[in-house]
């Protein structure tokens, strides 16, 4: 599979200076953690789940979470588990394992063919550790379609039980399974316990480092602890109590010194037109230069201006990818994940072998200073993102990438 693999090769060639690389479920964890992109959640109760997975794959989704936790009623869990077993069997009968099929086909008009698309990386969000071993056993041969589990309300004690169950399930099925812990407990939010909780989480995930693909943030739960809900004109970073937790999580668990993990952006809750308290910030958005009217129309139609601001702030604060609950959020996340030609040029200059001793150089775009040693970690992360999301051509901007992602 690859990002933007759902659009035609001709369209990709016109957009990318360096096209996104292909990857499979067996690719290195480092690559997959960056490649997650917009991870689309779906309740495990959906009767057409297998069809939905293939449909979303045909629209550019590369990672999905099938949820047995908060998205379904407590009384639905048993039925949802049985549905998952049926749906995985159906997927296994119709497709190959995630990322091993031929790249999604497109007809002469450039329309993606969902039947030919790769199955996304699939994760199951469980409620309790025992569900992990039980589901892997019940999946049988169709476990080859599964990439791992999402572990809710993760703390040191609870997380250890989840991760031990994951290790046991791996041994039983003979294949690699990843964990994506969700950091969302009230103890992590509360100031008096936050430090200890973070250190405990760090100990747990470090022990299973090879199996922890990414850490996810449960911002809705954070808001719930204080009876808060952000409006569609506000990002998670406008809610200061939430922003402070994000900062501390990145501080402890997202360092660029080799000890950190990929931390994904929080969910954006809105997907319908809403009455806005403030005018959209379109005229002040940096990616509108020269194409304001075109993008303004698209944003008003899809009501995505708040989402776009939050994606930009996610990256500025050290997060990568995003939890998504609606398909309309996927294309904006992926469009804003593509590395610009300017970023790519700067990163390559900084990491050039002749710059190994450090120093300062002027950007090839003549608009900034690149300081080799302080900017090295940024450059390395930028090239990792470029590998899986590609590098846009010099004259290609966010509008072009978003329009391509929304072609179907």
């Amino acid at each position: 599979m690859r990002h933007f693999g759902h659009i035609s090769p001709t369209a990709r060639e016109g957009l990318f200076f360096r096209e996104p690389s292909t990857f499979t479920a067996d690719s290195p964890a480092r690559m997959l953690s960056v490649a997650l992109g917009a991870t689309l959640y779906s309740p495990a109760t959906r009767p057409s789940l297998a069809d939905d997975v293939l449909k979303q794959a045909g629209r550019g989704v590369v990672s999905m979470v099938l949820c047995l936790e908060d998205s379904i009623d407590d009384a639905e869990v048993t039925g949802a588990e049985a549905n998952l077993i049926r749906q995985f069997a159906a997927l296994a009968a119709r497709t190959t394992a995630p990322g091993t099929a031929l790249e999604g086909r497109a007809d002469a008009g450039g329309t993606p063919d969902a039947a030919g698309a790769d199955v996304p990386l699939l994760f199951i969000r469980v409620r309790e550790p025992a569900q992990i071993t039980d589901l892997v056993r019940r999946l049988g041969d169709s476990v080859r379609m599964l990439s791992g589990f999402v572990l809710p309300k993760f703390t040191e004690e609870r997380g250890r039980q989840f991760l031990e169950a994951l290790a046991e399930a791996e041994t039983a099925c003979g294949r690699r399974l990843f964990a994506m812990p969700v950091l969302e407990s009230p103890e992590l939010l509360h100031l008096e316990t936050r430090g200890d909780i973070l250190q405990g989480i760090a100990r747990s995930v470090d022990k299973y480092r090879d199996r922890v693909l990414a850490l996810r943030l449960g911002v809705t739960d954070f808001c719930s602890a204080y009876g808060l809900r952000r409006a569609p004109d506000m990002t998670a970073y406008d809610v200061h109590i939430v922003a402070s937790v994000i900062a501390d999580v990145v501080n402890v668990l997202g360092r660029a010194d080799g000890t950190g993990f990929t931390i994904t952006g929080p969910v954006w809750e809105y997907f319908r037109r809403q009455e806005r308290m403030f005018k959209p910030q379109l005229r002040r958005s940096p990616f509108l230069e020269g194409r304001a009217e075109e993008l303004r129309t698209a944003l008003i139609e899809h009501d995505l201006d708040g989402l776009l601001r939050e994606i930009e702030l996610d990256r500025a604060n050290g997060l990568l990818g995003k939890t998504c609950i609606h398909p309309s959020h996927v294309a904006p996340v992926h469009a804003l994940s593509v590395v610009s030609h300017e970023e790519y040029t700067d990163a390559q200059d900084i990491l050039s072998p002749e710059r190994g001793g450090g120093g300062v150089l002027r950007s090839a775009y003549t608009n900034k200073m690149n300081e080799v040693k302080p900017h090295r970690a940024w450059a390395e992360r930028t090239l990792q993102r470029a590998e899986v999301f590609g590098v846009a051509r010099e004259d290609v901007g966010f509008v072009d990438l978003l329009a391509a992602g929304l072609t179907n």
Side-chain angles (χ1 to χ4, degrees):
M1 71 184 85
R2 71 161 87 192
H3 284 288
F4 295 90
H6 65 300
I7 67 176
S8 71
T10 301
R12 279 203 309 274
E13 185 178 355
L15 290 170
F16 289 99
F17 172 79
R18 173 182 170 181
E19 289 195 22
S21 298
T22 59
F23 57 93
T24 75
D26 295 321
S27 294
R30 177 200 61 79
M31 184 179 194
L32 292 180
S33 70
V34 177
L36 287 167
T39 301
L40 184 62
Y41 275 55
S42 178
T45 51
R46 291 182 65 88
S48 59
L49 197 53
D51 290 334
D52 294 343
V53 167
L54 294 177
K55 179 180 178 181
Q56 296 308 326
R59 293 179 171 178
V61 172
V62 303
S63 64
M64 290 186 69
V65 174
L66 313 178
C67 185
L68 292 167
E69 208 225 3
D70 285 348
S71 68
I72 66 173
D73 190 270
D74 296 347
E76 296 179 304
V77 174
T78 299
E81 290 178 341
N83 185 54
L84 274 184
I85 303 304
R86 291 192 299 271
Q87 301 297 332
F88 268 82
L91 279 172
R94 295 165 60 182
T95 63
T96 57
T100 59
L102 292 175
E103 183 184 333
R105 297 187 297 270
D107 62 25
T111 303
D113 172 10
D118 296 311
V119 177
L121 302 171
L122 296 178
F123 302 85
I124 298 175
R125 179 170 175 166
V126 292
R127 295 183 172 215
E128 301 296 338
Q131 286 179 296
I132 293 176
T133 50
D134 180 57
L135 287 169
V136 165
R137 176 185 60 80
R138 294 166 64 187
L139 283 170
D141 291 341
S142 62
V143 74
R144 64 188 173 86
M145 311 303 300
L146 180 66
S147 290
F149 292 90
V150 174
L151 314 179
K153 300 171 178 60
F154 193 94
T155 59
E156 182 174 23
E157 180 178 354
R158 182 173 165 86
R160 175 177 49 78
Q161 298 173 42
F162 274 121
L163 292 169
E164 288 175 353
L166 182 76
E168 182 181 342
E170 270 197 330
T171 300
C173 71
R175 62 172 281 109
R176 180 177 69 172
L177 295 171
F178 286 114
M180 291 200 290
V182 185
L183 311 186
E184 56 187 345
S185 65
E187 295 82 5
L188 180 59
L189 187 63
H190 298 158
L191 184 61
E192 66 272 20
T193 52
R194 186 181 305 168
D196 289 341
I197 293 295
L198 275 173
Q199 291 302 322
I201 290 171
R203 286 189 292 268
S204 295
V205 295
D206 186 62
K207 183 178 178 180
Y208 291 87
R209 176 170 294 275
D210 292 343
R211 291 298 176 264
V212 175
L213 190 60
L215 305 177
R216 313 198 73 89
L217 291 166
V219 164
T220 301
D221 283 56
F222 290 158
C223 290
S224 173
Y226 286 85
L228 306 175
R229 186 172 190 178
R230 67 188 190 275
D233 301 278
M234 295 183 178
T235 72
Y237 303 93
D238 295 315
V239 183
H240 289 186
I241 195 166
V242 170
S244 71
V245 182
I246 295 175
D248 287 346
V249 168
V250 173
N251 191 328
V252 175
L253 297 167
R255 299 177 186 180
D257 59 1
T259 66
F261 296 83
T262 294
I263 302 170
T264 64
V267 67
W268 181 257
E269 297 179 349
Y270 296 95
F271 51 87
R272 294 177 182 170
R273 292 292 306 274
Q274 302 285 337
E275 185 66 31
R276 303 180 185 185
M277 294 175 63
F278 307 107
K279 293 181 180 179
Q281 304 298 307
L282 301 183
R283 295 187 184 276
R284 295 197 292 273
S285 296
F287 38 76
L288 287 173
E289 299 261 343
R291 292 173 177 168
E293 193 58 40
E294 182 181 357
L295 184 55
R296 184 180 299 109
T297 300
L299 293 181
I300 290 173
E301 179 182 351
H302 294 284
D303 197 24
L304 295 179
D305 46 313
L307 171 62
L308 298 181
R309 291 176 57 225
E310 186 163 287
I311 296 168
E312 290 284 301
L313 288 168
D314 285 341
R315 184 168 317 126
N317 285 277
L319 310 184
L320 184 62
K322 200 163 187 65
T323 295
C324 294
I325 58 167
H326 196 270
S328 65
H329 299 167
V330 173
V333 173
H334 290 170
L336 282 173
S337 296
V338 174
V339 173
S340 71
H341 187 269
E342 180 175 345
E343 290 175 310
Y344 183 68
T345 301
D346 286 339
Q348 284 205 311
D349 286 348
I350 290 165
L351 297 176
S352 176
E354 58 264 28
R355 299 291 178 182
V360 177
L361 62 152
R362 185 177 65 172
S363 167
Y365 276 71
T366 67
N367 59 358
K368 72 177 76 64
M369 172 195 74
N370 289 325
E371 194 167 352
V372 173
K373 289 184 177 178
H375 291 148
R376 178 168 292 273
W378 169 85
E380 290 171 346
R381 287 189 170 184
T382 298
L383 292 189
Q384 288 174 1
R385 184 160 51 92
E387 182 180 8
V388 295
F389 287 101
V391 179
R393 289 187 178 274
E394 191 169 1
D395 60 345
V396 169
F398 165 74
V399 175
D400 307 289
L401 295 162
L402 177 60
L406 293 172
T407 52
N408 61 326

